């Protein structure tokens, strides 16, 4: 078997001009492309910088294919569960992997997968003992990003009401420092949002957001020890998960969610992280994790404060502290989170139990009936059991979570079934009771959190022919009780179909259709009982991507349609966008341009389209009303250690004389932003 | 009469009948008009003057004249002359146009350049000057606008084109914003005798338009064209085209139920016997 494999491998290498002629890949470009595949499916802006961080770290410290664990491979989120299992089975059956190119022999991998993997894996010798270099031989990176809107919103005017007037300048500043070694990671993040004061005495440290962490990993029994700000992801997100998750659209790649366990909080997202200590210890087949967090969180303290009791009306998560009103919410209530997890890894079975206790030292006080029915819990105590099991090409998983205080529960059962080499089916059923807690949970859901929802998601992914992949899902869901904006139990369904084609050597085409029906309150109703009506939303997108030499082009067209029971005709929205990326050979610069024209009849027919941005930044603007958008991004690399990004974007509206609302409102018909970032590596 | 025509010009604007044409200073040729206005992906002489990426395919010195008459009203006539000048690398394009009459006119001049960036991929840019003139002291306004386009041929029978007009949002003096436009078009040749075009374009002053066109040619000796545009007043369109030695003559016709016919005639001449449409 082995000599044959080597022979085939040699043949593959010799017959792969693409590989032989391949230059040293531009890791950053590759990471951009991989993350974009996921980000392009997003319908709102999310901070994906942690994903980028993980991949960049792996590119600096590639995984050794001959020793890597399943858990480590899961960090490569673009690999499917089946590919990971297939790789591990291949290694078990054939022994040492000689070269990365050998992965082409692994069932489920093709040349594109191998090209994606190359920067992140090596076929090395079994690992040596820990050396001092694992701690001290790391690399540091410092990044500073400045951003400012060119128009000045009314909130900066001295005439604006004092309580809502912004105290600081409209310049936003973000810095991040990272030190990464094989066994040690250290990071510090700071951020001043636009409008926030800066070293004027408002904030104890001079700047609104200051975050840091130290993490050591894989030293003896200690699998991970993190001190400072961190995150935790377990099971399918029903018991504890406070990190980013992809929505339903990613379920076409598989409905299973991969928890990383404890991980440092590396982004500038200012809410819902943990602050304290967390550790994971590996003993035999078991991983034991314990984590604790104590910090003051943002809360909107209501006027009624009785003796020894603080009442709050909401827990803002925006991280903005720009004016008196927002600053008065800053870090007002203490929160204690304690949790633990035990995970058993036994062959193809993984089973885990998670426990979490969360206490916010305040009382929730809002008198609206809708909130009285679904209060913000100040004390939760959740216990969850999660499992996953591989049987041949079938992957079954699930989680049950129970809140012991509110006696509510959440259940998720799912499976990814590889029916053949070309057909994969995903099934996922979920049932979250109406009082189950949203905070620190992230089960797959149509609604805004892991509560008040039942649903069945069916996904299909078919490699129809060479160069043609069709995928889609059908999600049937119902909300057993009223929720925000829908004052009755409601139902809905969503269908998505996507067809991707390789039309030529350098040309790919994609068509995607989405249909969603859900219910909502009728707007403008003055009756005591609010009528709930159906709403229908459809989106049709066509996209061409082509690459010629050093030029990458992407043309996107999207139509959106929206109708409700009270609208006779569909409202329509249109977008045409052209992207161009250019990296001249021999020059250390990259240029990205976009021009888009849009025409939507209403906010409901807005169109979202992912836009290139600098490292660690993600832009998915909502195109709304009628106008054009221009974006230009320039990246310059000085030597090997210094990178500079400059970005300018301008949206012109034909029919608007003012944009935004409240203190964010600007006069005029344009909205523009300049952004710059520098990265030093040493 | 002239005051009446001026009023007609302005009265038609809010109806979506943008009589000054969506490409303010550059009318659509007889061939493009006959295809429902779907010309962005074309590489013929007149299409190349419109989407400058097509200039890369004009390898000989060529000149042409174009005249159109909206609804057979002489006051709504547009005339244009254009030239393509190969400079290696690439080709320059020149256009001069005039719309209107003594009382109200738009004068345009454009200088474009197109070249191949890589095999099968061409790009072009243009800078255009537009002047609006209304007799007397009413109004004189001018603007400088930019245009850019890309054409990509991934295969012999297939072309993708993208074009943007006025992406920088230039304004016409005090008159207000000039329209910005963007379009995407595909051309597909099912056989050497048949060409299908599809185009979607949108500008900031009207609804998006979908356009389709069908051209059938008899061994390059004559072409019959049919088209449809979802955006009025074009609707259904028809036209013919044929070469005459090194001349190429294109005629297009559209009809509006109330306003009548709009004929368009374009003639181009190549200073070489090997001329002809690609």
């Amino acid at each position: 078997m082995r000599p044959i494999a080597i022979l085939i491998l040699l043949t593959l290498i010799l017959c792969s001009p693409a590989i032989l002629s391949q230059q040293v890949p531009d890791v950053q470009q590759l990471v951009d492309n991989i993350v974009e595949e996921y980000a392009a499916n997003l319908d709102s802006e999310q901070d994906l910088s942690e994903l980028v961080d993980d991949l960049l770290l792996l590119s600096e410290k590639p995984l050794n294919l001959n020793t890597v664990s399943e858990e480590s491979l899961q960090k490569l989120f673009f690999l499917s569960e089946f590919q990971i299992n297939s790789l591990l089975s291949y290694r078990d059956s054939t022994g040492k992997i000689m070269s990365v190119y050998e992965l082409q022999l692994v069932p489920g991998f093709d040349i594109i997968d191998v090209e994606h993997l190359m920067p992140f894996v090596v076929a090395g010798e079994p690992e040596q003992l820990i050396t001092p270099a694992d701690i001290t031989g790391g690399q540091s990176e410092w990044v500073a990003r400045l951003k400012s809107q060119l128009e000045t919103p009314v909130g900066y005017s001295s005439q604006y009401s004092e309580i809502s007037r912004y105290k600081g300048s409209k310049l936003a500043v973000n810095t991040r420092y990272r030190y990464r070694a094989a066994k040690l990671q250290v990071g510090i993040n700071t951020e001043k949002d636009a409008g926030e004061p800066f070293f004027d005495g408002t904030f104890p440290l001079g700047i609104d957001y200051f975050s840091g962490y130290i993490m050591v990993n894989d030293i003896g029994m200690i699998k991970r020890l993190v001190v400072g700000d961190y995150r935790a992801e377990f099971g399918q997100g029903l018991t504890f998960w406070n990190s980013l998750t992809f929505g339903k659209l990613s379920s076409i790649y598989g409905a299973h969610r991969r928890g990383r366990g404890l991980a440092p909080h590396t982004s500038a997202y200012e809410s819902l992280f943990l602050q304290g200590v967390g550790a994971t210890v590996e003993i035999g087949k078991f991983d034991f994790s314990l984590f604790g967090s104590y910090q003051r969180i943002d809360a909107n303290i209501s006027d009624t404060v009785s003796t020894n009791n603080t009442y709050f009306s909401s827990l803002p998560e925006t991280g903005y502290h720009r004016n008196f009103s927002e600053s008065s919410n800053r870090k007002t209530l203490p929160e204690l989170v304690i949790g633990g997890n035990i995970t058993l890894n036994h062959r193809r079975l993984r089973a885990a139990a998670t426990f979490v206790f969360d206490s916010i030292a305040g009382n929730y006080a809002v008198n609206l009936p809708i909130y009285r029915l679904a209060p913000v819990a100040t004390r939760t105590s959740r216990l969850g059991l999660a499992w996953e099991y591989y049987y041949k090409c079938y992957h079954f998983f699930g989680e049950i979570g129970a809140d012991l205080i509110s006696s509510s529960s959440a259940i998720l059962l799912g499976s990814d079934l590889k029916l053949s080499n070309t057909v994969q089916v995903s099934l996922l059923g979920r049932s979250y009771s109406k009082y189950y807690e949203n905070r620190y949970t992230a089960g797959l859901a149509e609604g805004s959190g892991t509560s008040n929802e039942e649903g069945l998601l069916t996904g299909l992914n078919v490699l129809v022919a060479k160069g043609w992949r069709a995928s889609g899902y059908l999600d049937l869901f119902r909300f057993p009780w009223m929720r925000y904006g829908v004052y009755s139990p409601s139902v809905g369904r969503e269908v998505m179909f996507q067809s991707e084609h390789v039309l030529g050597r350098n040309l790919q085409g994609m068509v995607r259709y989405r249909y969603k029906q859900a219910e909502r309150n009728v707007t403008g109703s003055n009756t005591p009982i609010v009528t709930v009506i159906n709403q229908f939303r459809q989106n049709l997108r066509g996209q061409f991507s082509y690459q010629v030499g050093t030029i990458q082009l992407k043309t996107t067209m999207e139509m959106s349609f929206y109708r409700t029971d009270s609208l006779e005709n569909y409202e329509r929205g249109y977008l045409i966008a052209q992207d161009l990326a250019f990296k001249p050979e021999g020059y250390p610069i990259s240029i990205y341009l976009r021009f888009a024209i849009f025409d939507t009849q209403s906010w409901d027919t807005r169109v979202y389209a992912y836009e290139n941005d600098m490292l660690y930044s993600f832009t998915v603007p909502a195109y709304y009303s009628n106008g054009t958008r221009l974006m230009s991004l320039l990246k310059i690399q000085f030597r090997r250690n210094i990178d500079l990004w400059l970005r300018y974007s301008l949206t012109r509206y034909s029919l608007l004389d003012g944009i935004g609302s409240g203190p964010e409102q600007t006069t005029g018909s344009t909205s523009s932003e300049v952004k710059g970032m520098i990265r030093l590596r040493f | 009469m002239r005051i009446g025509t001026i009023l007609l010009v302005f009265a038609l604007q809010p109806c979506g009948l943008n009589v000054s044409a969506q490409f303010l200073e550059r009318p659509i040729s007889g061939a493009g008009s006959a295809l429902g206005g779907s010309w962005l992906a074309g590489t013929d002489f007149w299409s190349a003057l419109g989407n400058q990426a097509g200039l890369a395919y004009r390898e000989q010195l060529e000149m042409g004249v174009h005249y159109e008459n909206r609804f057979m009203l002489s006051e709504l006539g547009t005339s244009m002359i254009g030239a393509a000048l190969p400079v290696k690398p690439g080709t320059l394009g020149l256009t001069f146009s005039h719309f209107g009459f003594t009382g109200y006119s738009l004068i345009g001049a454009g200088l474009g350049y197109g070249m191949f960036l890589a095999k099968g991929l061409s790009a072009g840019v243009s800078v255009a000057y537009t002047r609006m003139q209304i007799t007397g002291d009413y109004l004189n306004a001018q603007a400088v606008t930019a245009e850019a386009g890309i054409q990509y041929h991934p295969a012999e029978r297939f072309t993708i084109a993208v074009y943007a007009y006025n992406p920088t949002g230039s304004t016409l003096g005090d008159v207000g914003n000039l329209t910005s436009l963007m379009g995407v078009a595909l051309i597909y040749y099912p056989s050497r005798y048949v060409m299908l075009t599809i185009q979607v374009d949108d500008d900031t002053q009207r609804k998006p338009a979908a356009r389709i066109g069908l051209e059938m040619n008899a061994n390059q000796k004559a072409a019959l064209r049919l088209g449809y545009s979802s955006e009025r007043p074009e609707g259904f369109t028809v036209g013919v085209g044929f070469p005459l030695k090194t001349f190429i003559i294109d005629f297009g016709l559209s009809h509006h139920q109330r306003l009548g016919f709009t004929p368009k005639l374009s003639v181009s001449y190549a200073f070489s016997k090997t001329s002809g449409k690609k």
Side-chain angles (χ1 to χ4, degrees), chain A residues 24-96:
Chain A
V24 177
D26 179 347
V27 175
Q28 177 134 7
Q29 184 65 49
L30 183 62
V31 169
D32 277 353
N33 291 344
I34 291 169
V35 174
E36 183 186 336
E37 277 181 34
Y38 281 77
N41 291 331
L42 298 179
D43 271 357
S44 61
E45 285 189 22
Q46 292 191 20
D47 189 346
L48 305 179
S49 56
E50 292 189 1
L51 290 181
V52 177
D53 250 353
D54 280 355
L55 289 184
L56 290 179
L57 178 61
L58 286 174
S59 72
E60 287 159 17
K61 305 282 177 196
L63 300 169
N64 185 349
L65 288 171
N66 288 312
T67 56
V68 66
S69 66
E70 180 185 349
E71 189 183 352
S72 297
L73 278 173
Q74 287 183 338
K75 290 177 188 168
L76 299 165
F77 59 89
F78 53 88
L79 290 185
S80 72
E81 301 293 336
F82 299 110
Q83 285 175 315
I84 291 171
N85 264 283
S86 182
L87 199 160
L88 294 174
S89 300
Y90 176 85
R91 189 180 69 189
D92 290 347
S93 62
T94 60
K96 188 183 167 193

Side-chain angles (χ1 to χ4, degrees), chain A residues 48 115 133-134 196 290 373 378 385 391 393 455 500 645 682:
Chain A
L48 305 179
E115 282 177 1
D134 291 335
E196 287 178 343
L290 267 179
L373 291 165
T378 52
L385 295 172
Y391 174 72
C393 290
E500 296 163 273
W645 288 262
F682 45 93

